[in-house]
């Protein structure tokens, strides 16, 4: 199967983590998000082990929770002794609810509100990643008011062009995130940080983009960042002690995707860091990575019931499902590729070319075009693979559709981690 979590069982049905998907749809209904917790934990361990094996454990894996955040997920990350990257008050609030150790929280965002910053200061968040000068000044003031010294990292645009979709590239100069190196803006931000009274410049951060398969741009970016750290040492006699290389490691959505192992990503970037530090006689920095997609993406699937089938002669056949862009907007946004199968006919051959449509009132509500699929009948179960990252997280109530429940499978047992919404939930805040 396309991902490690999936099997075809003796009935010819798709199974995840050893559980028949049809058992799950019968128990919980559709649409349904299902995640393999064993796989999530395995992914966590492979990153943590890589830091331990290749960098003597002198670092932290901070799961980028924007990929999938809920109490259970924050609990898993806490349990795996990792750090967490949050990017809003809501993500921080959720991490707080499970008692996530504050010092292991990294707080991101290009426009954190004063209230979000106050929340982070009060909770004692370990590192706030400052994105711009306005924020630097605001945070300095808020820290003074709270009578606290705050550890900050500066978000730097290293000018590396990662080969991925335009909307998820972030390392280049024309990006809303961070300080550019080549314009001198980054050096200026360092100078201003060093002049603040209540902020401690602990490190630098960069994130070059997402769903990247090449290791080379990461290595290149790490070299640029270290060179910059050396320039800072030279200019101000100040040593920046931490380097955060962000996330962005690609996953398998379709069989043509062939990402290197996460261990290799980490290993190769570390090799570059070690060589550069040696050459420049710079002490090895405390190293942070922020993988999101690669922790949860392949571990998740979405299950739908197939409804209307519309054949337009000589044009296409639309297969409609009982969800769509409201639970997975990624095709509408990025033309993202997915692998599909009919869960109750998983061992049959895919002989039909179809287009998978959602149920939203929008022509662009498509999950995949020209997809090869088994023969289908109304009432069959459609499975979409690798939907663990940025699907639930980006879901909406467009058309007042309900957000589906999220199930996790561990040791071949299923449990509900996010309840599906009800119509009462939908009107809860209506006055
Ligand atoms: N760190 C920072 C600062 C980030 O901005 C991101 C992702 C990550 C880490 C995690 O990157 P990952 O390992 O998940 O690639 N909604 C888009 C993806 C947006 C990524 C935003 N930042 C999608 O569905 O493809």
């Amino acid at each position: 199967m396309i991902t490690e979590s999936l099997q075809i069982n003796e009935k010819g049905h798709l199974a995840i983590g050893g559980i028949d998907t049809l058992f799950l749809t019968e128990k919980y209904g559709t649409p349904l998000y299902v995640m393999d917790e064993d796989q999530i934990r395995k992914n966590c361990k492979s990153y943590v082990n890589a830091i331990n094996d290749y960098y003597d454990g002198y670092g932290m894996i901070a799961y980028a929770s924007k990929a999938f955040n809920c109490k259970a997920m924050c609990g898993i990350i806490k349990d795996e002794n990792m750090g967490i990257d949050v990017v809003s008050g809501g993500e921080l609030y959720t991490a707080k609810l499970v008692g996530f150790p504050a010092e292991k929280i990294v707080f991101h965002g290009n426009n954190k509100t004063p209230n979000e910053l106050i929340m982070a200061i009060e909770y004692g968040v370990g590192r706030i990643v400052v994105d711009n000068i306005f924020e630097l000044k605001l945070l300095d003031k808020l820290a003074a008011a709270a009578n606290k010294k705050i550890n900050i990292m500066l978000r730097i645009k290293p000018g590396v062009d990662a080969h991925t979709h335009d909307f998820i590239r972030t390392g280049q100069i024309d990006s809303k995130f961070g300080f550019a190196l080549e314009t001198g803006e980054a050096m200026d931000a360092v100078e201003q940080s060093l002049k603040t009274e209540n902020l401690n410049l602990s490190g630098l951060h960069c994130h070059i983009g997402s769903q990247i398969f090449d290791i080379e741009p990461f290595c290149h970016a790490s070299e640029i960042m270290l060179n910059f750290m050396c320039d800072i040492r030279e200019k101000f006699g100040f040593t920046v002690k931490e380097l955060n290389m962000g996330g962005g490691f690609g996953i398998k959505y379709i069989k043509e995707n062939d990402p290197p192992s996460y261990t290799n990503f980490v290993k190769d970037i570390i090799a570059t860091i070690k060589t550069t530090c040696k050459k420049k006689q710079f002490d090895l920095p405390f190293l942070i990575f922020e993988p999101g997609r690669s922790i949860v993406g392949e571990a998740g699937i979405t299950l739908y019931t197939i409804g209307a089938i519309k054949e337009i002669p000589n044009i296409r056949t639309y297969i409609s499902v009982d969800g769509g862009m409201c639970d997975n907007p990624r095709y509408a946004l990025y033309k993202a590729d997915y692998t599909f199968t009919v869960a109750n006919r998983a061992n049959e051959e895919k002989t039909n070319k179809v287009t998978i449509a959602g149920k939203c009132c929008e022509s662009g509500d498509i999950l995949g075009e020209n997809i090869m699929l088994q023969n289908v009948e109304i009432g069959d179960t459609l499975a979409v693979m690798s939907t663990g990252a940025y699907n639930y997280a980006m879901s909406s109530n467009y058309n007042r559709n309900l957000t589906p429940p999220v199930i996790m499978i561990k040791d071949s047992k299923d449990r509900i981690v996010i309840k599906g919404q009800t119509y009462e939930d939908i009107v809860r805040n209506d006055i």
Side-chain angles (χ1 to χ4, degrees):
M1 292 302 296
I2 184 100
T3 62
E4 264 185 66
S5 302
L6 301 173
Q7 310 87 37
I8 297 178
N9 67 15
E10 63 296 341
K11 292 184 187 155
H13 297 170
L14 181 73
I16 173 164
I19 300 201
D20 192 322
T21 51
L22 295 200
F23 164 80
L24 294 171
T25 55
E26 214 155 277
K27 185 166 171 184
Y28 299 104
T30 58
L32 183 67
Y33 295 113
V34 188
M35 306 194 66
D36 178 356
E37 182 176 341
D38 298 316
Q39 185 64 44
I40 292 175
R41 288 184 184 266
K42 206 165 142 190
N43 296 340
C44 290
K45 288 186 174 71
S46 70
Y47 275 113
V48 171
N49 290 342
I51 287 271
N52 289 339
D53 293 347
Y54 302 107
Y55 211 62
D56 287 334
Y58 190 51
M60 176 169 84
I61 303 296
Y63 166 64
S65 70
K66 71 207 77 181
F68 174 65
N69 186 312
C70 66
K71 287 202 273 182
M73 190 61 208
C74 291
I76 291 171
I77 296 301
K78 179 183 167 201
D79 211 39
E80 294 293 328
N81 289 315
M82 290 161 58
I84 199 162
D85 147 7
V86 298
V87 76
S88 69
E91 289 182 358
L92 176 58
Y93 181 81
T94 315
K96 240 174 99 166
L97 275 187
V98 304
F100 206 96
E103 70 281 4
K104 287 188 178 172
I105 301 179
V106 183
F107 191 18
H108 274 286
N110 67 304
N111 190 25
K112 303 172 199 77
T113 65
N115 282 344
E116 287 176 322
L117 290 172
I118 290 169
M119 195 173 159
I121 293 171
E122 281 175 358
Y123 194 51
V125 162
R127 294 164 184 86
I128 296 181
V129 183
V130 173
D131 178 272
N132 54 71
I133 292 294
F134 164 74
E135 183 179 79
L136 187 80
K137 291 184 175 154
L138 175 63
L139 188 60
D140 191 30
K141 260 195 227 149
L142 295 173
N147 201 16
K148 283 194 180 171
K149 186 118 184 164
I150 306 293
N151 284 334
I152 61 161
M153 305 190 102
L154 294 179
R155 178 157 183 166
I156 307 296
K157 295 186 254 199
V160 171
D161 191 0
H163 304 124
T164 187
H165 193 288
D166 269 359
F167 290 2
I168 50 179
R169 273 188 322 146
T170 45
Q172 74 286 4
I173 188 166
D174 184 7
S175 160
K176 72 169 180 172
F177 299 105
F179 300 99
L181 264 187
E182 56 266 64
T183 57
E185 188 192 16
M187 191 58 97
D188 208 42
V190 170
E191 186 165 11
Q192 298 213 38
S193 305
L194 294 176
K195 282 187 188 149
T196 62
E197 283 181 18
N198 308 290
L199 308 180
N200 169 38
L201 177 60
S202 65
L204 300 184
H205 168 275
C206 71
H207 171 77
I208 57 174
S210 196
Q211 184 59 358
I212 300 167
F213 296 118
D214 280 358
I215 305 184
E216 207 281 323
F218 290 100
C219 295
H220 187 199
S222 68
E223 208 179 333
I224 293 174
M225 295 295 282
L226 282 163
N227 285 337
F228 183 51
M229 283 155 97
C230 292
D231 292 347
I232 294 170
R233 181 179 61 181
E234 201 163 294
K235 185 152 185 198
F236 303 110
F238 177 84
T239 305
V240 176
K241 298 216 165 55
E242 300 188 340
L243 175 60
N244 182 338
M245 290 302 300
F249 314 119
I251 68 164
K252 204 174 181 92
Y253 284 103
I254 52 171
K255 65 177 187 313
E256 290 76 14
N257 295 153
D258 189 18
S261 75
Y262 313 139
T263 309
N264 283 347
F265 266 118
V266 172
K267 187 172 113 189
D268 289 3
I269 299 167
I270 284 177
T272 307
I273 290 176
K274 285 188 170 167
T275 314
T276 314
C277 282
K278 197 166 178 193
K279 202 160 71 193
K280 298 266 183 175
Q281 295 185 321
F282 196 85
D283 285 346
L284 289 177
F286 183 83
L287 187 56
I288 300 175
F289 288 104
E290 298 169 335
R293 190 191 309 270
S294 50
I295 299 276
V296 286
E298 288 184 15
I301 61 171
T302 309
L303 299 169
Y304 303 97
T305 300
I306 293 175
I309 299 173
K310 189 169 289 177
E311 208 177 316
I312 307 178
N314 305 321
I315 300 187
R316 66 173 82 226
T317 299
Y318 283 102
I319 305 241
S320 294
V321 294
D322 53 353
M325 66 191 295
C326 40
D327 59 78
N328 182 357
R330 296 192 69 259
Y331 188 80
L333 275 173
Y334 321 117
K335 289 246 177 295
D337 290 319
Y338 283 99
T339 301
F340 299 80
T341 199
V342 180
N344 51 310
R345 305 173 193 272
N347 56 357
E348 291 176 22
E349 228 180 294
K350 297 180 175 174
T351 48
N352 303 315
K353 197 186 262 187
V354 299
T355 289
I356 317 282
K359 71 190 288 293
C360 294
C361 205
E362 178 114 4
S363 304
D365 176 23
I366 297 292
L367 294 176
E369 280 172 280
N370 301 323
I371 301 296
M372 292 309 291
L373 208 61
Q374 295 91 337
N375 273 325
V376 292
E377 277 175 29
I378 292 171
D380 281 350
T381 301
L382 183 77
V384 187
M385 276 66 136
S386 301
T387 59
Y390 304 111
N391 278 228
Y392 171 81
M394 293 170 78
S395 63
S396 75
N397 288 128
Y398 184 43
N399 293 164
R400 293 220 144 179
N401 282 309
L402 306 178
T403 303
V406 184
I407 306 301
M408 277 203 188
I409 313 287
K410 183 169 188 283
D411 300 329
S412 300
K413 287 194 192 67
D414 52 291
R415 66 172 173 138
I416 190 156
V417 297
I418 304 177
K419 285 195 280 185
Q421 281 181 328
T422 61
Y423 290 126
E424 291 76 53
D425 292 331
I426 288 281
V427 295
R428 178 147 295 140
N429 294 329
D430 291 9
I431 309 280

